Amino acid sequence: MFRKWIAAAAAACMLAACSTEKPLLAPDAPAASMPAAMCYMDTVVPHLRTDLKYAGSDNFVGRPIRGYTGRRAILGRGTAACVARAARILAAQGYGILVWDAYRPTSAMQDFFEWAKTPDCRMKREFYPNLTKRQIYEGRYIGTLSEHSMGIAVDVTLYRLRDGREVDMGGRHDLLDPASALDSPLVTPRQRANRRILHDAMLAAGMKGYDKEWWHYYQPGNGPFNLYGFPLNDRLPQ
């Protein structure tokens, strides 16, 4: 139900990525404190490691994304509790969770939207080798709305607790390509099995996956949902 809701809400804006129209997004709102519904993931999730890709340049745009002024992952409290359950399941198997993205300010979605209208394709070979920018939106790899901006979605992978090394998942974060589908035949059986280890733990913890992106999980529900615009900050009072 939730995926149908957000897909329907985004459908009207999707093709605007190549037009001059503005997407309908909540405005940015500076925050002096953490909204009551949100928390820092590292205060809840055991063994958590964080590498927020949009806070740096290792992403499909190739620069820090608007609104990413901190490097601590923020998430809705209920969703963070689900991820914590998954982390405990995975720890028993020798794995920890590395988070690439969690709460995403609406300003970031606007930033993506504006980038899609520019000729800048310098990250194409690494992140979207087989797609045009328009196809990224048409294929729903990116939308003008996101569960991330509601604080109920995370992009995650696995690392090994014994040595800290990332598990081979057969692709990087935001590889916008058919090879990133959960059960893609374009990766090896071992890589698909590793994706399934993460998938099974997240589902057992109450999360739901997105078949096109093995790293993306969200907490399902029927709403209503709030879109948040406050920028990330590593020292927001809670």
Side-chain angles (χ1 to χ4, degrees):
M1 177 66 73
F2 179 75
R3 267 285 163 185
K4 291 180 181 178
W5 176 85
I6 196 168
C13 302
M14 196 85 62
L15 296 181
C18 297
S19 76
T20 57
E21 297 179 23
K22 293 290 185 181
L24 300 177
L25 295 176
D28 268 0
S33 61
M34 182 85 69
M38 310 288 272
C39 67
Y40 288 115
M41 289 185 70
D42 57 21
T43 66
V44 177
V45 183
H47 310 294
L48 186 75
R49 288 174 51 188
T50 304
D51 179 14
L52 296 184
K53 294 300 187 180
Y54 300 140
S57 299
D58 186 20
N59 58 62
F60 64 88
V61 178
R63 57 166 171 76
I65 303 303
R66 193 180 306 157
Y68 281 80
T69 56
R71 292 183 177 270
R72 291 178 72 189
I74 295 172
L75 199 60
R77 292 183 182 276
T79 309
C82 289
V83 178
R85 287 195 291 273
R88 288 189 285 271
I89 294 169
L90 289 163
Q93 303 173 59
Y95 300 107
I97 288 176
L98 169 62
V99 58
W100 285 323
D101 195 32
Y103 161 66
R104 182 186 304 165
T106 53
S107 59
M109 303 306 296
Q110 180 70 29
D111 201 359
F112 295 158
F113 177 85
E114 293 170 1
W115 163 83
K117 296 186 290 181
T118 73
D120 179 7
C121 290
R122 56 199 163 96
M123 306 304 288
K124 178 177 175 60
R125 179 178 296 181
E126 190 170 359
F127 286 92
Y128 52 105
N130 300 308
L131 299 176
T132 66
K133 287 185 175 182
R134 185 183 182 93
Q135 287 169 334
I136 291 172
Y137 276 83
E138 290 175 338
R140 295 184 180 177
Y141 288 100
I142 308 171
T144 53
L145 298 175
S146 175
E147 302 105 329
H148 285 281
S149 299
M150 303 171 191
I152 60 171
V154 288
D155 293 347
V156 293
T157 189
L158 299 177
Y159 73 92
R160 296 194 305 234
L161 292 176
R162 70 174 182 271
D163 59 14
R165 295 183 64 179
E166 288 186 33
V167 174
D168 182 5
M169 298 293 203
R172 58 173 305 144
H173 178 247
D174 272 356
L175 174 59
L176 309 177
D177 190 85
S180 293
L182 177 64
D183 290 316
S184 173
L186 301 176
V187 299
T188 69
R190 179 68 262 176
Q191 291 163 340
R192 286 197 299 274
N194 289 340
R195 294 178 182 187
R196 278 284 168 183
I197 292 171
L198 173 62
H199 179 81
D200 291 348
M202 295 296 276
L203 264 61
M207 300 289 281
K208 190 169 183 179
Y210 182 41
D211 286 347
K212 287 191 173 186
E213 299 175 345
W214 60 262
W215 58 81
H216 179 89
Y217 291 88
Y218 65 97
Q219 186 180 20
N222 294 323
F225 302 98
N226 293 321
L227 287 169
Y228 293 98
F230 69 93
L232 277 77
N233 185 308
D234 289 349
R235 296 185 178 181
L236 288 172
Q238 295 181 269

